[in-house]
Amino acid sequence: MYKVDFADTSIVITEPYFNFTSIQESMNEILFEEYQFQAALRINAGSLSAHKYFQDNSSELCCIVVDSGYSFTHIVPYCRGKKMKDGICRLNVGGKLLTNHLKEIISYRQLHVMDETHVINQVKEDVCYVSQDFYKDMEIAKLKGEDNTVMRDYVLPDFSTIKKGFCKPREEMNFSGKYKTGEQILRLSNERFAVPETVFHPSDIGIQEMGIPEAIVNSVQNLPDEMQPHFFKNIVLTGGNTLFPGFRDRVFKDVRSLTPTDYEVSVVQPKNPVSYSWEGGKLLSDNPDFDEMVVTREDYEENGHCICEEKFDI
């Protein structure tokens, strides 16, 4: 596809924290034996995000990366570019869980969509938001007609004339009866904010885990006291879930309420949280020390998996 000659190409590839050794070894074999890359660097996505953050904010020594992706959420403190393993926290809540939860709610309330993961994922991205005051929004969602400012009508794609679903503008919404057009409509009200709320309170749907703000505070409290203020003022949000409107403000509000008043709290959301770690990887590959970090094919052929274990801190 890219007409790349693997034999003279280096690759930076990300993997989850504390990945199983068997998977790490399979990855080495695929990279060096199957594709025969010249050199490889296996690293965590959060380490790349932290690298980018420290490059952009050279005066800072510490940061805590919140990487909330499709399968899970990791909260990882970094100090001087190194991850602090005592503070790493993983929550089994990600975008996939939210999409599946939304599918169940819609299937129960109005339309069977259990097989339409892709469509409902798009619905989630288009209409969901994070509430700043859950109970107040819940009261608004109970109101009838135009008083309900939360309600939205979503036009589902039919893949012939409508290729991609979209949210009807508020002025075109029909509050009284059915639409005359043949479009298939989903009417979403409290689902819009109740679904993303799962990231902040997983116990709402029976998952016995902490929400993101609690996990951030818990992670920082596992670290030395004198470092804690530095982490609270450098919270970095990355990953697709952080794109929900209101996500950053809610994380700030909740973390602020859980931390001592004499600590400064600052939550940073990059312009593009999805590609932030990729940008970090791009910066890292231009780093003069990059050649020291990678394992070359010659190294691997000579020393096998143990050289990768030594060099890659997963």
Side-chain angles (χ1 to χ4, degrees):
M1 182 166 69
Y2 292 118
K3 296 190 170 61
V4 173
D5 180 12
F6 297 133
D8 59 2
T9 304
S10 300
I11 185 171
V12 177
I13 190 160
T14 61
E15 59 181 306
Y17 294 89
F18 307 124
N19 204 0
F20 294 119
T21 311
S22 55
I23 299 176
Q24 291 189 42
E25 290 180 356
S26 302
M27 183 73 89
N28 295 336
E29 286 164 16
I30 290 165
L31 295 175
F32 288 120
E33 294 172 26
E34 196 170 320
Y35 287 105
Q36 305 220 325
F37 277 101
Q38 181 197 343
L41 169 62
R42 286 193 293 106
I43 194 167
N44 308 120
S47 304
L48 298 177
S49 300
H51 179 72
K52 168 112 175 99
Y53 186 75
F54 290 135
Q55 290 280 318
D56 294 348
N57 305 275
S58 50
S59 61
E60 298 298 345
L61 294 174
C62 303
C63 76
I64 185 159
V65 176
V66 179
D67 184 5
S68 186
Y70 197 58
S71 303
F72 34 66
T73 297
H74 276 112
I75 289 155
V76 191
Y78 283 87
C79 182
R80 297 178 188 271
K82 288 269 183 285
K83 59 177 177 275
M84 316 270 298
K85 293 196 170 169
D86 291 344
I88 296 179
C89 180
R90 166 176 158 155
L91 308 175
N92 291 310
V93 175
K96 179 163 49 179
L97 181 92
L98 303 188
T99 300
N100 289 341
H101 185 46
L102 184 59
K103 278 197 307 191
E104 284 177 23
I105 293 175
I106 293 171
S107 299
Y108 181 68
R109 292 181 186 173
Q110 42 187 327
L111 186 70
H112 182 74
V113 290
M114 290 307 286
D115 303 328
E116 305 293 344
T117 306
H118 184 73
V119 174
I120 300 304
N121 196 59
Q122 193 61 52
V123 174
K124 177 193 76 177
E125 289 175 14
D126 290 346
V127 302
C128 286
Y129 71 93
V130 174
S131 168
Q132 302 305 311
D133 185 340
F134 185 79
Y135 294 106
K136 181 171 157 238
D137 280 1
M138 221 26 148
E139 289 305 317
I140 296 170
K142 287 178 188 171
L143 300 172
K144 295 279 183 278
E146 295 193 34
D147 293 338
N148 184 344
T149 51
V150 170
M151 189 159 63
R152 291 287 182 277
D153 282 346
Y154 190 87
V155 181
L156 290 169
D158 58 9
F159 300 113
S160 56
T161 52
I162 308 167
K163 292 281 188 283
K164 182 172 181 269
F166 62 91
C167 198
K168 257 201 186 318
R170 190 125 183 109
E171 56 275 11
E172 289 179 25
M173 280 175 61
N174 181 349
F175 292 98
S176 49
K178 286 231 164 70
Y179 285 95
K180 297 286 183 282
T181 52
E183 297 163 337
Q184 200 167 26
I185 302 278
L186 279 183
R187 178 155 282 186
L188 298 156
S189 186
N190 63 17
E191 300 90 341
R192 289 185 62 207
F193 57 87
V195 168
E197 188 67 21
T198 310
V199 177
F200 295 87
H201 292 116
S203 55
D204 287 355
I205 61 166
I207 294 171
Q208 293 179 346
E209 295 202 0
M210 294 181 282
I212 286 179
E214 280 175 85
I216 291 171
V217 173
N218 183 61
S219 168
V220 174
Q221 283 171 347
N222 286 335
L223 302 168
D225 290 354
E226 62 276 11
M227 297 169 82
Q228 293 183 10
H230 297 284
F231 286 110
F232 282 125
K233 70 177 212 286
N234 293 288
I235 299 170
V236 187
L237 302 180
T238 65
N241 286 337
T242 63
L243 289 168
F244 283 123
F247 191 94
R248 194 204 74 87
D249 297 339
R250 175 67 183 274
V251 170
F252 173 79
K253 177 172 157 263
D254 287 8
V255 172
R256 177 69 281 177
S257 69
L258 292 167
T259 48
T261 46
D262 50 339
Y263 286 177
E264 183 191 337
V265 174
S266 167
V267 180
V268 180
Q269 183 169 4
K271 201 157 69 236
N272 189 342
V274 176
S275 64
Y276 194 69
S277 55
W278 180 87
E279 288 163 29
K282 185 165 166 287
L283 272 176
L284 191 65
S285 65
D286 297 334
N287 193 319
D289 300 335
F290 181 69
D291 293 341
E292 300 297 308
M293 302 164 80
V294 298
V295 167
T296 62
R297 193 164 77 249
E298 291 77 57
D299 288 343
Y300 176 77
E301 282 165 1
E302 195 176 321
N303 302 299
H305 293 304
C306 58
I307 185 79
C308 297
E309 249 178 76
E310 273 172 42
K311 278 213 174 179
F312 304 145
D313 181 26
I314 295 300

